[in-house]
Amino acid sequence: ENEDVGQFLVYAIIDKPPENTNVFDSQSRIVAISIPDNNHMWTSPSIPGVVAGTPVITRNFLSGRFIFIVHNTNVASSSTAAATATPEGHFSILAMAHGGIRLFTESSSVANPVDGKLSYGPMDVSHFPTRGKYSLGQFNSNDLVVWTTNTQDGETGSGYLRAFQIPAGFDESGDDLFTVRLRSIPWNAPVRPTLSNDGLKLFVGVGPNEVRGWVGNSVFTDEPTWTQQLLDENNLKPNAAIASAGVLSNDEKVLFVPSSTEMFYAIDVESGDIVWQRERFSVPFTEGAVSPDGQRVFSIESSSGSVHSQ
């Protein structure tokens, strides 16, 4: 909600190039719609590349003023183009009051020139963090977003975590904005991380079929507090990254996460221990969904579309 325009929602649309062409010029736009009358407010100018995940609208002290997006350029539009594609991730901020004009963009090759071009995965957000759990964020309670780098399907290479918060006392010029590199580890994570509501706990599903958690006194630039290797007894996908993000229980004591095989897990947030596990006939298709009363978690199978409830 924006104090000047009221409630609204935003979504991304992608303008793809023609099929079977060896080009990488996909563009995206962000569309703003007013609520509850569903009137079109604006469509942003074209944004290079393909938006990853869902745009994030700022809340807290910056309610409705800015929109955060992650987008990747040089994304192959065909299997022919994929052989020569080198995607690059970008983090951008759009200004609500100016029709979605980009206020700031930082590219992966600029943010971290040693590693060069790396694609970005979707973001997760804590709208009301106690603080940013890294050295530059200790006195900042603005919206905190975290995302990962990834390559291909998450089975090879290494990556790292990045974070962003608008600085306290921001003057809206864009001159003092930059993203923060949190942790570099041999891993890959093609899906969004999972942040607690207070922004003090972070969980990431990575390859090879692992979940890593930062809780307690561990800041997000430290080694993870715990790592849980999810079982793959038949060694079907030994290097596969987890394909769907974890979700927290309503009391944020348990993390529900699908593995890269046919298992669905409940993991204790503080210890990383497995609370229970359930086998499916195929890989869970989406992240879980917790019922409003916190008594059930639902998941969907990829092969049959069957919905399971635990």
Side-chain angles (χ1 to χ4, degrees):
E1 183 173 358
N2 182 292
E3 61 183 9
D4 296 322
V5 300
Q7 293 186 322
F8 67 98
L9 63 82
V10 296
Y11 61 90
I13 56 176
I14 300 171
D15 302 316
K16 291 186 176 181
E19 294 291 333
N20 300 317
T21 57
N22 193 31
V23 293
F24 312 94
D25 57 353
S26 293
Q27 302 281 313
S28 297
R29 290 173 288 164
I30 303 299
V31 180
I33 303 293
S34 63
I35 297 175
D37 51 5
N38 298 326
N39 287 329
H40 175 265
M41 300 173 68
W42 49 256
T43 298
S44 74
S46 291
I47 299 162
V50 177
V51 171
T54 304
V56 170
I57 301 171
T58 56
R59 295 173 63 183
N60 209 335
F61 303 110
L62 304 167
S63 182
R65 289 164 58 188
F66 304 106
I67 299 157
F68 300 157
I69 60 169
V70 166
H71 49 115
N72 293 294
T73 53
N74 211 35
V75 176
S77 60
S78 68
S79 57
T80 302
T84 57
T86 305
E88 179 171 18
H90 313 267
F91 172 80
S92 292
I93 302 174
L94 280 59
M96 177 63 195
H98 301 289
I101 295 295
R102 275 189 291 161
L103 176 69
F104 168 79
T105 295
E106 183 183 80
S107 303
S108 63
S109 59
V110 174
N112 194 55
V114 174
D115 290 333
K117 295 180 179 180
L118 291 171
S119 61
Y120 284 162
M123 298 174 288
D124 198 23
V125 59
S126 170
H127 286 295
F128 301 95
T130 302
R131 64 182 185 277
K133 209 174 180 184
Y134 55 96
S135 60
L136 297 176
Q138 56 185 330
F139 301 113
N140 193 342
S141 57
N142 286 330
D143 303 69
L144 168 66
V145 288
V146 179
W147 66 96
T148 65
T149 63
N150 65 83
T151 57
Q152 300 173 7
D153 55 5
E155 293 194 15
T156 59
S158 61
Y160 53 86
L161 285 161
R162 294 205 76 84
F164 178 80
Q165 286 182 288
I166 285 183
F170 176 55
D171 63 5
E172 301 195 23
S173 68
D175 295 336
D176 55 349
L177 299 178
F178 55 90
T179 68
V180 176
R181 176 169 169 157
L182 297 179
R183 186 73 198 171
S184 178
I185 323 176
W187 66 338
N188 251 297
V191 298
R192 67 169 180 83
T194 303
L195 277 167
S196 59
N197 286 330
D198 62 7
L200 299 181
K201 299 181 178 70
L202 173 66
F203 311 94
V204 187
V206 303
N209 205 20
E210 290 180 352
V211 180
R212 299 180 183 181
W214 286 259
V215 299
N217 294 323
S218 296
V219 295
F220 299 158
T221 50
D222 287 345
E223 291 282 352
T225 313
W226 52 259
T227 297
Q228 179 59 253
Q229 178 74 56
L230 303 183
L231 299 178
D232 185 6
E233 295 177 350
N234 298 318
N235 203 36
L236 298 175
K237 298 180 179 179
N239 297 315
I242 292 172
S244 297
V247 295
L248 290 165
S249 59
N250 294 349
D251 61 8
E252 299 198 331
K253 293 182 178 180
V254 178
L255 179 73
F256 301 107
V257 60
S259 74
S260 58
T261 57
E262 291 80 17
M263 304 297 290
F264 190 83
Y265 290 87
I267 297 174
D268 182 89
V269 161
E270 296 298 330
S271 67
D273 294 338
I274 295 173
V275 178
W276 53 253
Q277 61 193 58
R278 301 287 186 271
E279 186 172 8
R280 300 286 175 254
F281 294 107
S282 60
V283 177
F285 184 63
T286 63
E287 58 190 63
V290 180
S291 62
D293 62 6
Q295 298 301 305
R296 293 281 178 180
V297 59
F298 302 93
S299 59
I300 302 175
E301 276 194 41
S302 57
S303 63
S304 64
S306 299
V307 178
H308 293 268
S309 170
Q310 288 83 35

